Amino acid sequence: MAPSTVLAGARVVLPTGIVTDGRVAVEGTRIAAASPADAEVIDVRGHWVVPGFVDLHNHGGGGASFSGTADEILTAVRTHRLHGSTTLVASTVTDDMDFLVKQAGLLAELAEQGDIAGIHFEGPFISPCRKGAHAEELLRDPDPAEVLRLVEAGRGWTRMVTLAAELPGGIDSVRLLAEQGVIAAIGHTDATYEQTKEAIDAGATVATHLFNAMPPLGHRSPGPVAALLEDERVTVELINDGTHLHPAALELAFRHAGAGRVAFITDAMDAAGIGDGRYMLGPLEVEVSEGVARLVQGGSIAGSTLTLDRAFKRAVTVDRVPVEDVVTALSVNPARLLGLADQVGSLEPGKDADLVLLDDSFDLKGVMRRGEWVVDPQLP
């Protein structure tokens, strides 16, 4: 049983706003409504306490991939937990269908154990025109029968499928996913504005890394960006690493969609938490230089080396997004999308004791997951 703990004196971000000189009480694995009598009181004045981060879209880290073995998957999970991601969905990349089905079974086992929160299939049902770091020879149209095969391979843990709805079978596959209770995400797409609106009406609710791997916003051909930003049913993913998005694009998304419809993601690959070098992303070789991942062949950006603590700090200090809006984008909205808002995503009594301790400069100084310190508090 995890010990009882009270974090006292911090600025605490709650659903109702920021509380100065606040207290967060933890009893066992849960946030408590009152301070347990036997609790250890930790003075965290000068710090922030925010909910643990929830990453919807992550391919790996720590030198390991979610397309790898169980040990490799757990290495990636642990790497991101050290950076505050206490809840994480494992994303695959385009590969052979039989491999993806097999990998879904392994990921489902780890989800059943509580190591990950589910599975996200990014590809193979995406446009060759906007393939990014996906192997073109393995791409295919989103035949609803094949989409269902992947969904069912996840044994109830398939949370999201990214697809290009303009491809043959795309709209029917979106409807299928919605009927199955799986998030249909529009991404790696060459869709028009009208085709994107049709996909949203069919049940699509997420934009996979908005702006990236889709046509740019045009004044005569507004494309998917306008359709995804304007519709209140859609949550837009953003990769806030300073490489994938210009700050003006991030501001546009927040201004137009509002914090309630933004989800920060990492789209991380193996190099996250490690550094520069050569890596594999599915069957493709990637060169990471100065923290930017690009395909060796062709030079396309190949995921990121981002961790969500860095996304948090950049959003506040560079993009000047209010802290409470950053928490909404990093924790509240992803938890809601995953159907986990009753368990994680905010610091409320009865929810999992998942929290991140940040100093006044928004550098990570502690991580707690289900009442246990993943990163012990680093206090002066």
Side-chain angles (χ1 to χ4, degrees):
M1 176 67 72
S4 298
T5 306
V6 174
L7 302 179
R11 281 166 286 186
V12 181
V13 182
L14 299 175
T16 52
I18 297 171
V19 177
T20 58
D21 195 19
R23 296 168 70 88
V24 178
V26 174
E27 187 167 18
T29 63
R30 308 275 182 184
I31 296 172
S35 302
D38 60 344
E40 175 191 8
V41 179
I42 302 176
D43 185 346
V44 289
R45 283 176 289 183
H47 290 72
W48 292 83
V49 178
V50 300
F53 310 142
V54 181
D55 196 353
L56 280 174
H57 184 158
N58 186 317
H59 296 282
S65 164
F66 291 123
S67 295
T69 65
D71 285 344
E72 289 169 337
I73 292 165
L74 293 175
T75 293
V77 168
R78 286 191 290 266
T79 297
H80 285 280
R81 284 184 189 166
L82 294 174
H83 293 275
S85 294
T86 50
T87 302
L88 185 149
V89 172
S91 301
T92 63
V93 295
T94 295
D95 214 313
D96 177 80
M97 280 290 289
D98 289 339
F99 173 81
L100 290 173
V101 167
K102 180 181 176 182
Q103 194 67 11
L106 174 58
L107 291 168
E109 288 179 18
L110 296 173
E112 288 160 2
Q113 295 171 192
D115 296 306
I116 60 173
I119 308 164
H120 164 217
F121 293 105
E122 187 181 24
F125 310 115
I126 60 176
S127 171
C129 301
R130 304 285 174 176
K131 63 182 183 297
H134 291 256
E136 184 168 357
E137 68 274 12
L138 295 173
L139 301 181
R140 57 182 63 211
D141 292 337
D143 182 300
E146 293 198 323
V147 173
L148 182 61
R149 183 184 177 204
L150 283 189
V151 169
E152 292 180 339
R155 301 203 304 265
W157 291 103
T158 302
R159 299 287 194 183
M160 183 161 67
V161 177
T162 292
L163 51 77
E166 76 277 9
L167 297 176
I171 296 299
D172 286 341
S173 291
V174 168
R175 291 195 184 97
L176 168 72
L177 291 167
E179 290 167 0
Q180 293 288 319
V182 175
I183 297 167
I186 301 302
H188 289 276
T189 177
D190 205 39
T192 64
Y193 173 83
E194 291 76 16
Q195 288 169 330
T196 307
K197 285 179 65 69
E198 184 182 5
I200 296 168
D201 287 339
T205 56
V206 165
T208 293
H209 41 56
L210 185 75
F211 300 110
N212 299 118
M214 60 182 63
L217 183 65
H219 64 291
R220 291 193 181 94
S221 299
V225 172
L228 294 162
L229 274 179
E230 73 183 11
D231 199 300
E232 294 184 356
R233 294 170 290 183
V234 176
T235 299
V236 298
E237 296 181 347
L238 299 176
I239 309 171
N240 192 28
D241 61 354
T243 298
H244 280 79
L245 296 176
H246 189 283
L250 182 135
E251 182 182 5
L252 174 67
F254 266 93
R255 186 182 297 274
H256 204 77
R261 292 205 290 118
V262 171
F264 281 138
I265 61 164
T266 60
D267 194 20
M269 45 77 73
D270 300 26
I274 293 291
D276 292 353
R278 288 278 180 113
Y279 299 87
M280 297 300 295
L281 183 62
L284 302 178
E285 191 173 13
V286 175
E287 175 79 30
V288 179
S289 177
E290 297 182 354
V292 178
R294 293 185 180 275
L295 290 182
V296 171
Q297 297 294 325
S300 292
I301 293 177
S304 85
T305 62
L306 186 64
T307 52
L308 284 183
D309 58 331
R310 287 170 43 213
F312 193 118
K313 180 170 182 172
R314 180 179 175 85
V316 176
T317 62
V318 176
D319 303 306
R320 303 299 177 186
V321 179
V323 172
E324 54 269 43
D325 288 350
V326 178
V327 168
T328 299
L330 278 173
S331 304
V332 177
N333 293 339
R336 169 183 52 80
L337 281 169
L338 295 173
L340 299 176
D342 60 336
Q343 302 171 47
V344 299
S346 59
L347 299 175
E348 296 177 273
K351 292 191 179 183
D352 289 352
D354 293 355
L355 57 86
V356 177
L357 184 67
L358 304 167
D359 66 13
D360 204 38
S361 298
F362 298 98
D363 289 317
L364 184 144
K365 294 298 178 181
V367 179
M368 178 182 285
R369 183 175 186 270
R370 297 181 183 172
E372 298 278 2
W373 288 108
V374 177
V375 176
D376 289 330
Q378 303 164 46
L379 302 171

